Amino acid sequence: MEPCEEAHCKDLCQPQDCMWEEWGDWGACDKCGGQMKRFRSIVQIASCGGKNCKPAAAEEMTECPRKCHELSYCVWGEWGNFGECTTTCGAGIQSRTRRLQVVNEPLGVTGLSDSSLSPEDLSRKLDELEQRAQTLESQRQQQRAMAFVAGFLGLVAFIAFSRRSSWSEEHRYTAASMEAASDLE
């Protein structure tokens, strides 16, 4: 035996360091005067001996200027950009993320201060809604009363029919036994 093809093979694996994506938006405050956080994810995992990402570098915290007792709403933020493909050839995967955000007004709703309605118009609309609610409640009570009456009448009809049929069967047996007795005589 003897060696052959002693030329050094080209390395297929090149060291790649871990890479982070851009920081996400700041999250909600944990309490009044507390802290808020933001996160980032790994875009590329270290491979072939590259440098690993430090887990502590995935999160940042800062002081929170949250106003206490103010209404806030959770809404989905915008989708982020797609990350790098998981492979350089073949069937890989790209992913993207979006996060929940805290806002002061729900989506699609503007404050009353931005409203084009005057206070009188708002008051009139409130009165109309209250009147409509009373009308619907009155109709619901009428429907409930009618359903009760219909159920009661159905029960009375069922009892009357049951008695009528049991009376006619009883009467038929009595009449048949009287005829049989008169035939024996």
Side-chain angles (χ1 to χ4, degrees):
M1 289 184 142
E2 68 181 52
C4 66
E5 296 292 316
E6 293 181 4
H8 184 63
C9 293
K10 187 177 181 182
D11 285 338
L12 297 177
C13 185
Q14 297 293 322
Q16 292 187 348
D17 293 340
C18 174
M19 292 175 47
W20 292 100
E21 71 179 359
E22 294 297 317
W23 285 103
D25 294 331
W26 287 102
C29 296
D30 58 357
K31 60 182 180 179
C32 295
Q35 296 177 331
M36 58 184 177
K37 300 177 184 179
R38 69 177 181 171
F39 301 92
R40 62 180 177 173
S41 299
I42 294 174
V43 174
Q44 176 179 307
I45 297 173
S47 62
C48 299
K51 294 179 184 176
N52 288 324
C53 292
K54 296 178 183 175
E59 175 182 35
E60 280 188 332
M61 283 191 272
T62 188
E63 300 228 351
C64 188
R66 179 178 169 202
K67 297 176 184 173
C68 297
H69 311 296
E70 185 176 280
L71 284 179
S72 57
Y73 304 91
C74 291
V75 297
W76 285 106
E78 297 296 319
W79 283 101
N81 295 329
F82 280 99
E84 294 290 320
C85 187
T86 56
T87 63
T88 56
C89 60
I93 298 173
Q94 284 184 303
S95 63
R96 63 182 182 163
T97 58
R98 68 178 179 167
R99 302 191 193 291
L100 281 175
Q101 298 174 318
V102 178
V103 296
N104 292 331
E105 292 189 14
L107 268 178
V109 177
T110 57
L112 293 177
S113 61
D114 297 339
S115 176
S116 60
L117 296 175
S118 68
E120 294 81 19
D121 290 338
L122 288 173
S123 178
R124 182 180 48 77
K125 287 212 176 268
L126 178 62
D127 291 341
E128 288 173 5
L129 286 172
E130 288 174 344
Q131 181 62 39
R132 177 76 176 136
Q134 288 175 353
T135 301
L136 289 173
E137 179 62 24
S138 173
Q139 289 173 350
R140 189 173 69 94
Q141 288 176 358
Q142 288 174 351
Q143 289 172 348
R144 186 183 301 148
M146 289 173 55
F148 178 77
V149 168
F152 178 74
L153 291 176
L155 179 64
V156 168
F158 175 75
I159 291 172
F161 179 74
S162 295
R163 283 192 170 185
R164 170 94 172 137
S165 42
S166 68
W167 180 80
S168 78
E169 285 178 21
E170 194 177 292
H171 185 351
R172 200 173 346 153
Y173 291 130
T174 305
S177 63
M178 290 178 120
E179 282 180 21
S182 67
D183 286 344
L184 291 176
E185 291 178 0

